[in-house]
DNA sequence: CATGAATGAGGTTTCATTCAT
DNA sequence: TATGAATGAAACCTCATTCAT
């Protein structure tokens, strides 16, 4: 939102030596831990440094500021998510809509539920960094993959694939979040997967126009 | 989450003199303004008081702390939203699923888009206060109304209406949020309404089982 | 200590009407209650007024400021104490030292232990108002009475009765306080009485010079 | 009393660099000065930091809160006092009661009168922190030493040495306090020493039972 | 007289960030 | 490079006291 320069959000130096790689990772992991234990509100750079076993000064050597650190975590999470979605989308090109929906839903829910605690903690981070262009950019990758897959669906065509993809992702994100925030019991997660397939499938069918066979 | 007592989130005293009613409102409005301009992160009690033209002390006479103030805003927003949804749900009992979907989607999107800026600012607030029981309570009202309406749908029955209602709301919330965060151009909002109807309708049809006519 | 004008510590107006007498008393009692429940640190004028069932404004009508209120409580306590000590001293003029010691100790401990909680709460108040001349003045009365009684002791004379009286009071005050702060179990109080007699008696005997019979 | 955790009263970090040792001391000394000049009531962390020539933040690096700072001063005072009393008690084991009384009184009064101003300022602090277990602990040391010395007195035995020790300390503390609050002129201090010996001696003799020679 | 809304100085505490060592 | 002491702006919140109604 009011995040001024966004270059500031990137990590400061590319670690070339083994030692710094190690340090960076230690800081990163410490940050994740603190985020989980105390939430983004009570995460302080000093605390993270202490947890990582380095001094604050060192932390600032690798992350120019607190936001950059939080952003790094968010980024990794989002990129993993996008990777798995891309993978699912490429693998299922040309398959029927139901199969597509199932694949994407599975990829999405699996990725989010692998570390439900991390996913939840990141909601707060994302809402602070929310509007940031960098975030939008990362998320776009999955949408592009989804669009591309949808276009490959046999026998159907979408009026506005881009928006359709947006809607589908939003629906998945929204319901997964709701389930996470409601506690994400195994039973709920099971229901979520099933209903999300129903929902996406229903939506895709409704959004698609049948193409006359050539 | 770590928000201990919830009494802390309630307003402090009910104004008895005419003067104070005015003051409370001034503070509330000032808070909304500051929230819009600076976001919840940079909203400070001093700033709100200054904007309202009162002293900090006065602010604290009516809102025991910053959270209570933010919560008041969130609460009003959510309650209006729930009101309109309840209204829509009661009015459309017994109608076909498509009509129901249209009604709820319209109510939801209308409510959210009446003050898109406020809606967006409140995302951050909600993520801070999200876990709070009071919030959950308010939101439940709409879900109950939706469930009740769905049960009245002619000729169909749902296996787990409660979860269906949750999914539908989550999908509406998620996609509306996505559109808001993407800028919410009039065109997008139009698309959102249309596609959300498609989505909800598709989902409800998929989730419903046909009942044999008596 | 740094208490500027001390006239400010007196109550503001002498209640002439029945209603105000009642009000003043209600405020006074409320203050005592709050003092006991929350301590002088957390006693606020608003709280006292609320407890008394009047408005802050009314409180300030009768007590010009918070200190005056606290001082009033301390004053009453001290005056009662001095009364009882004076009484004991006058009654036992001319008796043997042991009898005198017993009488004064009993009066002192009784007075302090009648409301041990109040006594303790007032330590804090006294330490804030400690140096105040007004307090010193009140306390002096008991000392004067004690001196006068000691002078009447048959067959003995003190080199510096004034200081002897001071020492005796200080010893009584100090040990009573220690017992109060240690919890003041019935057993301890019993011990206190007994030992205090031993102590005072021993001291008085040591401080007195035998006078040759006339 | 209502001072919850006692960890809060302990110092925050042990300085490792030379610089910080200096800083801690500067803060401590500044605190003592402010305490003397303004009293504990008007001592503020900001003022102390300013006086010490450091920023508030630095102060809070070493003392987690205001109380911890005040407590540190009180602690040092009490510990010195206990040290000197212990010393006096160990040195005079097995000596006659009169010698014992003289030794302890001297140690006590000397310690208190070395910095009469500090002693007085600390009364207020002690009454705030009085109930704290940590304080009780420190003070206990002197009582234990006194008890141990009394037990070693030749030819006498005490029924309840523990209480006797308590009484003797309370009497010393009480009278010293009275003298301090009365201005502590050299003459009074001289009288105090003398009379306190008389008082303690008289008390000990009264409290002791003669033991038959073996 | 009583009310209670309003005041606002002032206090405590946190924490991102810098920089001398 | 690493350290961690120091910074200080800035936030939150309290409460004695006043004064218009």
């Amino acid at each position: 939102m009011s995040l001024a320069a966004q270059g500031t959000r990137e990590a400061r130096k590319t670690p070339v030596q083994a030692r710094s790689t190690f340090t960076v990772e230690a800081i990163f992991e410490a940050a994740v831990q603190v985020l989980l234990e105390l939430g983004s509100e009570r995460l302080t750079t000093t605390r993270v440094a202490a947890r990582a076993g380095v001094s604050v000064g060192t932390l600032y050597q690798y992350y120019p500021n607190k936001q950059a650190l939080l952003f790094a975590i968010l980024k990794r999470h989002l990129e993993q998510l996008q990777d798995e979605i891309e993978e699912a989308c490429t693998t299922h090109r040309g398959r029927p809509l139901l199969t597509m929906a199932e694949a994407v839903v599975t990829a999405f829910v699996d990725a989010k539920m692998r570390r439900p605690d991390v996913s939840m903690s990141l909601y707060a981070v994302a809402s602070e960094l929310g509007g940031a262009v960098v975030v939008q950019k990362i998320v776009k990758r999955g949408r592009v993959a989804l669009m591309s897959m949808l276009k490959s669906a046999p026998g159907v065509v979408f009026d506005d694939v881009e928006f359709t993809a947006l809607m589908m992702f939003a629906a998945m994100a929204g319901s997964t979040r709701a389930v996470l925030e409601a506690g994400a019991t195994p039973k709920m997660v099971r229901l979520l997967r099933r209903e999300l397939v129903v929902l996406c499938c229903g939506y895709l069918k409704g959004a698609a126009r049948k193409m006359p066979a050539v």
Side-chain angles (χ1 to χ4, degrees), chain A:
Chain A
M1 232 160 269
S2 60
L3 307 175
Q6 68 200 64
T8 214
R9 232 172 287 106
E10 298 290 354
R12 187 173 260 171
K13 62 169 102 173
T14 327
V16 285
Q17 300 165 353
R19 182 161 52 141
S20 19
T21 320
F22 177 79
T23 306
V24 174
E25 232 136 79
I27 295 171
F28 186 93
E29 290 308 328
V32 173
Q33 283 177 37
V34 173
L35 185 64
L36 287 180
E37 280 169 37
L38 306 175
S40 72
E41 203 79 336
R42 294 175 54 205
L43 177 150
T44 71
T45 49
T46 317
R47 245 198 280 257
V48 169
R51 173 68 65 98
V54 300
S55 68
V56 225
T58 302
L59 186 153
Y60 275 85
Q61 203 103 75
Y62 297 104
Y63 296 94
N65 52 47
K66 191 185 163 180
Q67 286 223 339
L69 181 58
L70 289 175
F71 176 68
I73 300 176
L74 180 61
K75 192 182 170 196
R76 190 179 73 174
H77 176 81
L78 288 178
E79 282 179 340
Q80 279 180 4
L81 180 62
Q82 303 308 315
D83 284 351
E84 304 191 25
I85 285 167
E86 260 186 340
E87 163 77 14
C89 289
T90 352
T91 327
H92 294 80
R93 311 184 98 260
R95 313 288 293 280
L97 285 183
L98 174 62
T99 316
M100 285 180 171
E102 264 172 350
V104 177
V105 164
T106 302
F108 190 92
V109 176
D110 278 2
K112 279 287 179 189
M113 292 302 169
R114 201 162 296 136
R115 293 291 312 267
D117 47 358
V118 177
S119 299
M120 281 199 71
S121 300
L122 285 173
Y123 285 136
V125 177
S127 94
E128 279 166 42
L129 270 46
V133 193
V134 211
V135 174
Q136 306 283 358
K137 227 184 220 163
I138 302 173
V139 175
K140 191 165 192 179
R141 238 175 60 213
R143 239 165 41 227
V144 170
L146 179 56
M147 280 165 54
S148 163
M149 178 180 73
L150 289 179
K151 279 182 189 156
S152 77
V156 294
V157 65
F158 294 88
D159 284 334
D160 185 341
V161 225
E162 185 152 8
F163 200 81
T164 305
L166 177 92
M167 287 291 296
M168 190 165 144
F169 268 124
M172 286 195 296
S175 48
T176 305
R177 179 172 193 159
V179 166
L180 277 168
E181 281 176 348
T185 58
K187 191 193 158 196
M188 286 194 88
V189 177
R190 222 178 314 127
L191 277 172
L192 172 68
R193 285 172 197 279
R194 199 188 63 193
E195 295 297 288
L196 215 34
V197 172
V198 175
L199 185 147
C200 291
C201 222
Y203 175 48
L204 291 180
K205 276 183 189 146
R209 273 187 302 119
K210 294 232 170 65
M211 247 183 1
V214 184

